Amino acid sequence: KMYKIIWPESIDMNKIFTEMSIFFNVDIKVINELWNEYKSIHKKYDHKKLGERETLNTEETFVMFAMFKFLVPSSFIEIGTLLGRSTRRLLDIKKELGLQFDIKCYDITNEVKHFKPNEAELIIHDMTGNVKETLDKYKTPGIVYLDAHPYDLTIEVIKEVISRKDWRLVIHDCGEILCNPDIKIPKDRPQDITSLT
């Protein structure tokens, strides 16, 4: 049988705002104000054209926007960049907020289409086996945005980041809606793991 993702027809923004209010320990009015601020950035840079699937969607990007505001990171590492659509959104937010950190993008190939080399550094490197050494090179506080699918790398990044007090982890493609309990793809074939599988 084929696994099929059933996307929600509408997003419960009140639920998102409530959960963000609890997570960031701020009044829900603050989250509402941030949403209005973020919507203007979304519109200004026409982020809608980047799509809502297989990249950060609008609501996920809003959570990242709040993280940038509350954490004010010194470092940002993206693992799994591909075309750079998520990176584009984050670069625009960083610019609007006047933040000074560099965005470092790690991937095993260069297929970037949505940002220029002077905007973010793409590092062609498989981080598997050296996540600790990589994080040690960067200033803190930092955020790791994980959008890669190899099992060993995913486990290594999660374990390393949560063991540190000065790093935060954001994982894309990880909700219950994307969990296929009947998956038959072996762990060593992450290239076959997609939204459809």
Side-chain angles (χ1 to χ4, degrees), residues 21 78 81 110 136 163:
S21 171
E78 179 181 61
T81 302
N110 181 355
D136 287 344
S163 74

Side-chain angles (χ1 to χ4, degrees), residues 58-95:
T58 300
E59 294 77 20
E60 291 169 318
T61 307
F62 172 56
V63 175
M64 295 292 289
F65 170 78
M67 286 187 80
F68 282 11
K69 290 278 276 194
F70 293 126
L71 184 61
V72 188
S74 296
S75 298
F76 186 91
I77 298 171
E78 179 181 61
I79 304 171
T81 302
L82 196 58
L83 301 175
R85 290 186 297 172
S86 297
T87 319
R88 174 77 271 148
R89 292 176 191 248
L90 300 173
L91 284 164
D92 295 339
I93 289 170
K94 180 187 141 211
K95 177 181 174 184

